[in-house]
Amino acid sequence: AQSVTQPDIHITVSEGASLELRCNYSYGATPYLFWYVQSPGQGLQLLLKYFSGDTLVQGIKGFEAEFKRSQSSFNLRKPSVHWSDAAEYFCAVGDFGNEKLTFGTGTRLTIIP
Amino acid sequence: NAGVTQTPKFQVLKTGQSMTLQCAQDMNHEYMSWYRQDPGMGLRLIHYSVGAGITDQGEVPNGYNVSRSTTEDFPLRLLSAAPSQTSVYFCASRTGTGGGYEQYFGPGTRLTVT
């Protein structure tokens, strides 16, 4: 069964500092991997996705993620965070044979001035 | 395009009451799904549909019914609400072809069962 682990429940970073959010997945085949962001009281918005090809993918709002098959990881990075990046971030792995998108438990990001 | 819309935004039910959460999308997407979000558990799939007239169960289907009579609408029914169904419910849709599997989410319905 597929699963996703986000080991950090809550991360606090200073505005302008770099960011890395961790995501590890378990999946039997080539995974479809996603990062979503959720602002308070809002739905989820797709930041980026990986299906195949280049293992470094670029997303919206200056985010990128790197797929590392050997480590079963898909970590999200941003070189310099802005106060508006404060939100909850979810990593997900997709099995579209049965339309199942499995989410991690999320990482809440707090930005301090 | 309005995208994915959900009504109501908030609802309080008493145990045993029934209700329907509405979801509609105007993007002509074939696939639609319902998720529930609980603290510390991420989102879990309740039911999904791959087209009008076709639905299937997800990870946590008990206590919920769905039907899909049109491409646009995918309502979620709670037949007899229980406190364990207190949650935030999200509807999502995606295209079946060439869409890169991106799911578009609605703004959510916050349900409290007392």
Side-chain angles (χ1 to χ4, degrees), chain B residues 19-103:
Chain B
M19 79 160 296
T20 299
L21 308 186
Q22 301 291 345
C23 173
Q25 52 92 8
D26 61 359
M27 297 173 282
N28 202 31
H29 285 171
E30 299 94 323
Y31 295 81
M32 296 186 74
S33 303
W34 276 102
Y35 293 86
R36 60 177 289 172
Q37 182 179 29
D38 302 292
M41 302 191 72
L43 279 78
R44 293 179 292 169
L45 181 65
I46 304 171
H47 285 286
Y48 65 94
S49 168
V50 300
I54 306 171
T55 65
D56 206 346
Q57 296 181 351
E59 183 183 356
V60 287
N62 292 343
Y64 307 96
N65 280 355
V66 293
S67 61
R68 183 115 177 257
S69 56
T70 67
T71 300
E72 294 78 21
D73 301 298
F74 190 43
L76 179 72
R77 298 183 186 84
L78 285 70
L79 298 179
S80 179
S84 61
Q85 294 178 303
T86 294
S87 187
V88 181
Y89 292 85
F90 289 98
C91 179
S93 73
R94 70 173 182 91
T95 184
T97 55
Y101 299 105
E102 175 179 355
Q103 298 233 24

Side-chain angles (χ1 to χ4, degrees), chain A residues 34-39 42-48 60-61 88-90, chain B residues 102-106:
Chain A
F34 306 83
W35 275 100
Y36 283 86
V37 61
Q38 183 182 30
S39 298
Q42 303 295 314
L44 279 74
Q45 180 184 22
L46 181 69
L47 283 176
L48 47 77
I60 63 171
K61 305 185 182 190
E88 188 143 22
Y89 292 79
F90 292 93
Chain B
E102 175 179 355
Q103 298 233 24
Y104 292 81
F105 284 83

Side-chain angles (χ1 to χ4, degrees), chain A residues 1-80:
Chain A
Q2 61 201 57
S3 65
V4 177
T5 301
Q6 293 182 248
D8 303 305
I9 296 173
H10 184 204
I11 285 183
T12 300
V13 299
S14 299
E15 191 169 13
S18 64
L19 171 70
E20 182 168 26
L21 302 183
R22 296 183 290 165
C23 172
N24 292 97
Y25 68 89
S26 172
Y27 188 69
T30 300
Y32 297 101
L33 293 161
F34 306 83
W35 275 100
Y36 283 86
V37 61
Q38 183 182 30
S39 298
Q42 303 295 314
L44 279 74
Q45 180 184 22
L46 181 69
L47 283 176
L48 47 77
K49 59 192 177 188
Y50 172 80
F51 297 152
S52 65
D54 193 347
T55 56
L56 184 64
V57 293
Q58 303 296 320
I60 63 171
K61 305 185 182 190
F63 285 92
E64 67 178 26
E66 186 171 13
F67 171 60
K68 293 186 177 181
R69 185 186 299 274
S70 61
Q71 298 176 21
S72 297
S73 70
F74 188 56
N75 293 350
L76 182 72
R77 300 194 294 248
K78 187 170 185 178
S80 176

